[in-house]
Amino acid sequence: RQEKYEEALPYFEECLAVKLSTVPEDHRSLATIYFNTARAYQQVRRFEDALPLYEKGLQIELKTAPEDAESLSLSYFNISAT
């Protein structure tokens, strides 16, 4: 694990752009990309960039995940830690 988050950010952003061009804005797979991108921003202490991405991912999960989904609790935790 190299933890080169700053260098990875452009790749996360490109991945998000490509995925957004191929699936609807509320597609479940986008939640994962939003969360991974937000995590990278959080690791480089760019919390103002991380929080909106966590929130977008959470909104997708609220629409697409079962009500008892464990991923929802992790999403809420990540937002609270940002």
Side-chain angles (χ1 to χ4, degrees):
R1 190 170 183 195
Q2 296 180 14
E3 299 186 9
K4 295 182 178 182
Y5 297 105
E6 194 71 51
E7 293 175 28
L9 281 168
Y11 296 102
F12 281 116
E13 294 293 345
E14 184 64 22
C15 176
L16 182 58
V18 169
K19 193 68 165 181
L20 281 168
S21 72
T22 62
V23 299
E25 290 183 0
D26 62 350
H27 195 272
R28 177 100 169 122
S29 64
L30 283 169
T32 301
I33 297 170
Y34 281 126
F35 292 142
N36 289 339
T37 306
R39 180 75 175 143
Y41 277 120
Q42 191 175 17
Q43 290 298 315
V44 296
R45 307 193 58 77
R46 290 177 54 184
F47 304 112
E48 69 283 352
D49 294 317
L51 185 56
L53 296 174
Y54 277 131
E55 290 171 340
K56 284 182 181 181
L58 176 61
Q59 290 307 309
I60 293 170
E61 283 203 330
L62 288 170
K63 291 179 185 176
T64 62
E67 287 185 31
D68 63 341
E70 186 177 324
S71 61
L72 288 175
S73 65
L74 180 59
S75 298
Y76 283 114
F77 173 80
N78 286 332
I79 289 172
S80 72
T82 300

